[in-house]
Amino acid sequence: MSEPRTWQLVTGSAVLGLALAAGAVTAAGPWDSGQRKAERARAAAADHRGGAHHAGAPGPAPARTPAPAPSAAGVLRALGAPGTTGATGTTDAPGTPDATRTGDPTGPARPTDWAAVLVPLLADPGLGPLRTASVVDATTGRRLYGEGADTPMTPASTVKIATAAAALSALGPDHRIGTTTVGSADGRTVALVGGGDPTLDKARLKKLAEATARALKARATAPGPVRLVYDTSLYQGPALHPIGPNENLAPISALMTEEGRLDGSRSGPAPRTADPAGDTATAFAGLLRAAGLTVQGDPAPGRTPKGQGAAPLARTDSAPLADLVERTLTNSDNDLAEALARQTALARKQPASATGAAKAVHGELARLGLPLAGARFADGSGLDRRDRVSAALLTGILSRAADPARPALRPVLTGLPVGGFSGTLAGRFTTDATAPGAGVVRAKTGTLTGVNTLAGTVVTADGRLLAFAFLAGRTSSPDTAQPALDRLSAALAPPR
């Protein structure tokens, strides 16, 4: 990693932190004035400018608090106001200058003609015949540029931005997904109950087995043989995604270990088990035996014991939802995205199925006042081509996540991959034309055959946070579409 790009990542992250947190309100949980405490400490080492680099390490608190940024209340009003789109660029507040600096960042601020910057890049043939765009000032909500911004398009994995925002809004950043065990009244049956946590790993499964064994021994001086059943009834609907068996997604189940991966990986495509729940239960039975219990036969599907005398035995919880959202977005984790959609359904009293999740996500985004005309959430991951979102919806969500009054949504931003450095953008922004975006652009990628999308944020030279979304359809190859998208987003960044 070259020294100039390292400097650019640290500086870009610090400026983004200032834009997000300068006017943020104090909130409970891991949020401190709208930032994660570790991020704020990281920023303290960078001239007190604030920071949102979510991989930051703890350190001393800043010596002073930055002056408040302009209120983001205008974001909520402006995003709901009528606007126009077109190749000439648009605004929702005509006559209000865009103070983004051009050229020398120390010189006077002057308006940027974003249409002049973006229209030639949006015409790149690598983007195919269908392309839409939205660029919004995240502080004021003013649309700086739009081309078909309200047109629903197949978003591919950028739909995970919507999934993540809905889950955070419905459940809060501190929510954890539990996996539990329950014993029958006679002590002869133990149920392993799936709660929908695809991140359950072998270490936590072992601790759950040990805690279950201790609880059973505490209930009886000499516990007899037990039968193990596993309950996956929390989820409804088909286990197979419409794409069918695929290395990008395990069968969807309320009970699984390590996303059903068979190669020990933590992200990306991988061979998957065809029976994640059965494999998890089989492993759990072996761990119960290692903990000193006699388990009769093989585990079998079953229901959690009910009635008088049935009792919870043990529980293991996932990481907080804020962490799960960041992992989902950074790695474009399909299994986690589907889990987040179903957790949103459960929170809103909908069936934990694809249909229930679609209703819950749509409803939660409507509660946030977002533009949903033509939107469809066929799944949570974006693997389903029937998904439809507009560029305006994506920039609206990103702007909501930057609103100081909504710190619970901040992981939507802190989880975005960093151009040239992390997640699905680690290998991008490496050319001269895209170098300005390295370390400065944070964005969620989307890739299906014939579909390429990019949506995220970038900080201008004067610290202004912009939200952008570029969606392209009927593209011929990601090899030409992805660089074209990178050039569009890098054009929003300060010159290097």
Side-chain angles (χ1 to χ4, degrees), residues 179-182 190-193 200-202 204-213 216 226 228-230 255 257 277-291 293 295 299 313-316:
T179 305
T180 60
T181 54
V182 177
V190 173
L192 176 61
V193 186
L200 178 66
D201 59 23
K202 295 174 183 177
R204 285 173 51 213
L205 194 67
K206 180 181 178 182
K207 290 181 179 179
L208 181 65
E210 293 169 345
T212 300
L216 283 172
V226 297
L228 178 64
V229 300
Y230 56 98
L255 178 66
T257 308
D279 287 356
T280 300
T282 298
F284 189 70
L287 293 168
L288 287 177
R289 293 185 180 102
L293 294 182
V295 181
L313 298 174
R315 177 184 176 107
T316 182

Side-chain angles (χ1 to χ4, degrees), residues 53-276:
H53 180 35
H54 68 282
R64 58 184 174 85
T65 301
S71 171
V75 173
L76 306 184
R77 291 193 297 271
L79 285 174
T84 58
T85 63
T88 59
T90 64
T91 69
D92 282 327
T96 302
D98 167 26
T100 302
R101 297 183 188 275
T102 59
D104 180 5
T106 64
R110 58 183 181 272
T112 298
D113 184 351
W114 288 115
V117 173
L118 298 175
V119 167
L121 296 172
L122 200 62
D124 192 307
L127 295 175
L130 304 176
R131 71 282 298 269
T132 64
S134 175
V135 180
V136 170
D137 184 319
T139 301
T140 65
R142 178 185 177 217
R143 183 180 291 175
L144 304 179
Y145 176 78
E147 174 63 38
D150 301 313
T151 302
M153 295 272 286
T154 301
S157 280
T158 53
V159 83
K160 291 182 175 75
I161 292 173
T163 303
L168 287 165
S169 178
L171 295 158
D174 298 325
H175 176 76
R176 295 173 185 261
I177 305 173
T179 305
T180 60
T181 54
V182 177
S184 62
D186 60 9
R188 296 177 181 175
T189 301
V190 173
L192 176 61
V193 186
D197 176 16
T199 68
L200 178 66
D201 59 23
K202 295 174 183 177
R204 285 173 51 213
L205 194 67
K206 180 181 178 182
K207 290 181 179 179
L208 181 65
E210 293 169 345
T212 300
R214 287 195 298 270
L216 283 172
K217 292 173 184 177
R219 294 178 67 187
T221 55
V226 297
R227 182 175 67 98
L228 178 64
V229 300
Y230 56 98
D231 188 345
T232 62
S233 61
L234 184 68
Y235 280 7
Q236 301 178 30
L240 282 181
H241 188 279
I243 63 170
N246 195 283
E247 290 193 342
N248 290 297
L249 181 68
I252 300 170
S253 173
L255 178 66
M256 64 170 59
T257 308
E258 298 173 347
E259 301 184 341
R261 295 172 178 272
L262 299 176
D263 62 356
S265 63
R266 285 180 51 85
S267 64
R272 311 296 184 109
T273 174
D275 185 12

Side-chain angles (χ1 to χ4, degrees), residues 37 72 77 113 157 210 213 245 251 291-292 303 330 368 372 423 427 437 471-472 476-477 488:
K37 294 179 181 178
R77 291 193 297 271
D113 184 351
S157 280
E210 293 169 345
R303 290 299 182 102
T330 299
L368 290 171
L372 287 162
L471 285 71
S476 60
S477 168
L488 277 163

Side-chain angles (χ1 to χ4, degrees), residues 453-467:
T453 59
L454 192 67
T457 63
V458 64
V459 181
T460 62
D462 63 343
R464 185 179 297 267
L465 183 69
L466 306 184

